[in-house]
Amino acid sequence: MLDRRRFLAFTAAGATAAVLPRFAFGQEKPFTLPPLGYPYEALEPHIDAQTMNIHHTRHHQAYVNNANAAVERWPELAKMKIEDVLRDLSKAPEAVRTAIRNNVGGHWNHTFFWDLMTPGGAKEPQGDLKAAIDQSFGGLDKMKERMNQAGAGRFGSGWAWLVVGKDGKLDVISTANQDTPLELGVRSTVLGVDVWEHAYYLKYQNRRPDYLSAWWNTVNWDKASANFAKKG
Ligand code: MN
């Protein structure tokens, strides 16, 4: 079973990796792969260990590597907060903008995603988040249905998200590829699920809706509530 102290240490590292100032130590690469807050097998049977391992150590690592390569082409990137870069991609030179959108975006999305999952978490949201979901969607099941539809309906690769929109209300949206909700001007991102085939294909093959149904069992509702509380 998960050692609590190790879990907390990993969680703390994962949660701060995306926002710490980079180049703090001269030789280090500005972007680094955050450790998971749980072992690869922890989300079984909903998400299998092999998928988690490959997704983290190969796919996410590739986004990190490519983001570091983008820094060599645009050093300013290393000095900026990731969220600020992604909120306004027009700041990036055109020659490197697509690389940043895909790879810094991929790094942010995956860091968010790993932190949003946990073994043995609460089955449903509590408090303010629960109240807002009830008010906006008419209940948790209806919100899940909207997310599942957004994820299943995303053609090709992308993400489904629960966000607090510009109007301060909860909304379900979908983005393509590694585009983030940040560039859409959302106030906060509450939930997000990766619907790229690499997130589910080994276990679920073409059955994306089955993966989406199972994924809800992994959600860290405490983290989702913390994300929701950041609004405004
Ligand atoms: Mn992915």
Side-chain angles (χ1 to χ4, degrees):
M1 287 306 292
L2 200 59
D3 176 82
R4 180 173 160 81
R5 187 175 298 166
R6 182 162 145 262
F7 175 83
L8 290 173
F10 276 165
T11 302
T16 54
V19 294
L20 281 175
R22 292 179 293 279
F23 278 144
F25 308 98
Q27 301 304 312
E28 288 192 5
K29 296 283 191 185
F31 296 98
T32 54
L33 186 69
L36 293 186
Y38 41 81
Y40 290 121
E41 68 275 17
L43 304 177
E44 297 255 15
H46 314 296
I47 305 180
D48 60 288
Q50 189 182 18
T51 295
M52 286 299 294
N53 188 323
I54 293 172
H55 199 172
H56 184 243
T57 64
R58 314 274 180 85
H59 292 280
H60 190 172
Q61 184 69 61
Y63 299 122
V64 167
N65 294 347
N66 290 332
N68 284 322
V71 173
E72 288 170 28
R73 296 166 67 195
W74 187 46
E76 191 68 22
L77 175 59
K79 300 176 201 156
M80 297 174 69
K81 200 177 161 202
I82 287 183
E83 286 80 2
D84 291 340
V85 175
L86 294 170
R87 258 183 218 116
D88 185 5
L89 286 160
S90 71
K91 286 177 189 158
E94 208 174 336
V96 76
R97 194 175 300 152
T98 299
I100 289 173
R101 175 189 294 277
N102 291 341
N103 295 292
V104 178
H107 178 45
W108 189 90
N109 287 340
H110 286 84
T111 302
F112 180 91
F113 187 53
W114 308 137
D115 281 349
L116 188 65
M117 298 188 287
T118 189
K123 294 281 178 243
E124 53 188 52
Q126 307 289 331
D128 290 349
L129 178 55
K130 177 183 162 45
I133 288 171
D134 287 347
Q135 189 183 22
S136 295
F137 301 98
L140 178 63
D141 286 345
K142 293 202 169 116
M143 185 278 284
K144 286 183 177 180
E145 206 174 296
R146 285 276 305 279
M147 283 276 287
N148 291 348
Q149 284 168 357
R154 163 53 55 194
F155 183 76
S157 300
W159 295 73
W161 307 95
L162 177 69
V163 300
V164 179
K166 286 177 191 168
D167 59 3
K169 292 183 180 162
L170 283 176
D171 195 13
V172 168
I173 60 167
S174 170
T175 59
N177 305 311
Q178 295 299 350
D179 293 356
T180 71
L182 300 172
E183 68 178 291
L184 302 176
V186 302
R187 287 200 197 169
S188 62
T189 308
V190 181
L191 295 172
V193 57
D194 188 342
V195 298
W196 282 59
E197 284 189 346
H198 69 222
Y200 63 86
Y201 203 85
L202 291 176
K203 184 176 171 71
Y204 295 96
Q205 292 83 49
N206 60 316
R207 302 187 308 278
R208 190 189 287 182
D210 291 354
Y211 155 71
L212 284 164
S213 298
W215 175 77
W216 288 102
N217 295 302
T218 72
V219 170
N220 183 343
W221 286 108
D222 291 338
K223 182 68 183 172
S225 283
N227 292 339
F228 178 66
K230 278 192 278 185
K231 72 174 177 174

